[in-house]
Amino acid sequence: MFNLFAKKPTPEELVRKWSSSIRTQQRGLDRQTSTLKQEEKKAERTIKQLAKRGDTASCKILAKELIQSRKQRTRIATNKAQLNSISMELNYQVSKLKVVGSLQKSTQVMKSVNRLMSVPQLQRTLGEMSREMMKAGVIDEMTEDMMDGLDEDEEEEEDEVERVLAQVTDGLLGEIGQVPVAVSHVEVSEPESEPDLEDMQNRLSALRS
């Protein structure tokens, strides 16, 4: 039952609570980054294996997944930096409480929270935190913030695929190795297990969602 006489949390208590939530989310982002890196290494090994067999089409499919995974890690790093920015601003405000007497409205915190609300895995925590911040006077009501609305065109994406293939296969495929011979004549020293392309695609896609 809701307690009408519950003690209102102090600004210091609120900031401690928010900071704890932020650290939890940052650890979650770190785990996601680590898992993405592991899957990317597996994808790179599979691309090399497929390149030796001359399966360029499958290599390109995995290269696209690899590109999207790397972009996801970049977005995660940006999100983590935004969370850190919120934490630093809140701790700065706590240090000034004796002078100003209360938490102050912060445009920086509001912008960071607004951007992070578009991240699915952060929405629940940030939603609760933003409501508490509004009550505490730190931010105003949230607004829509249109971001990441630009997609690469197909030509740019194809160029990036070629660069990734060249990098991963040491020039066997991709823009460095455009000679259409040789690929099918590369000898594989030992038979390797058949890579499960669909399974690897699904794992990388699941990690990005």
Side-chain angles (χ1 to χ4, degrees):
M1 184 176 178
F2 181 69
N3 187 357
L4 294 174
F5 303 101
K7 181 183 176 183
K8 183 179 179 181
T10 66
E12 291 90 347
E13 289 171 340
L14 283 172
V15 170
R16 278 198 297 271
K17 179 185 176 182
W18 297 336
S19 297
S20 177
S21 296
I22 288 171
R23 288 193 297 272
T24 298
Q25 295 305 315
Q26 287 177 321
R27 287 193 293 270
L29 294 176
D30 285 338
R31 287 192 295 272
Q32 189 179 355
T33 298
S34 178
T35 305
L36 280 170
K37 285 181 179 179
Q38 291 173 11
E39 290 299 326
E40 285 170 21
K41 287 180 181 178
K42 292 177 185 177
E44 289 173 2
R45 287 195 296 268
T46 302
I47 288 173
K48 290 178 181 179
Q49 184 178 343
L50 292 169
K52 289 178 181 179
R53 299 178 181 183
D55 190 350
T56 306
S58 294
C59 286
K60 286 190 174 183
I61 291 171
L62 274 183
K64 289 179 181 180
E65 293 292 334
L66 198 57
I67 289 166
Q68 293 304 314
S69 181
R70 290 173 176 177
K71 288 179 178 178
Q72 175 69 359
R73 283 200 289 117
T74 300
R75 287 192 288 269
I76 289 173
T78 301
N79 294 338
K80 188 178 176 183
Q82 293 281 355
L83 286 169
N84 192 55
S85 175
I86 294 172
S87 183
M88 289 178 65
E89 172 64 17
L90 291 173
N91 286 322
Y92 173 76
Q93 288 214 26
V94 167
S95 70
K96 299 293 183 182
L97 274 175
K98 289 183 179 180
V99 177
V100 297
S102 63
L103 295 173
Q104 301 297 297
K105 189 169 295 183
S106 171
T107 303
Q108 179 183 337
V109 170
M110 184 167 180
K111 285 182 179 178
S112 295
V113 172
N114 212 22
R115 292 190 182 106
L116 290 168
M117 283 297 290
S118 64
V119 183
Q121 60 265 45
L122 299 178
Q123 282 176 353
R124 183 174 179 179
T125 298
L126 267 295
E128 180 183 348
M129 191 183 299
S130 65
R131 287 190 292 271
E132 292 176 346
M133 286 181 174
M134 281 188 278
K135 289 180 181 178
V138 177
I139 63 174
D140 291 323
E141 187 173 352
M142 306 304 294
T143 58
E144 289 288 334
D145 190 10
M146 301 301 292
M147 295 184 65
D148 299 329
L150 299 177
D151 294 324
E152 292 179 271
D153 60 42
E154 291 184 9
E155 185 176 348
E156 287 179 344
E157 181 180 319
E158 189 61 30
D159 288 344
E160 193 167 1
V161 167
E162 293 297 324
R163 286 194 294 272
V164 167
L165 287 176
Q167 172 203 8
V168 173
T169 65
D170 297 322
L172 186 62
L173 296 178
E175 64 176 8
I176 297 177
Q178 287 296 321
V179 183
V181 294
V183 172
S184 59
H185 300 294
V186 175
E187 198 70 35
V188 180
S189 56
E190 290 183 14
E192 299 180 67
S193 59
E194 189 69 27
D196 192 333
L197 180 64
E198 185 177 357
D199 179 61
M200 187 155 293
Q201 278 186 277
N202 290 338
R203 289 205 305 268
L204 285 168
S205 296
L207 287 170
R208 294 198 307 272
S209 62

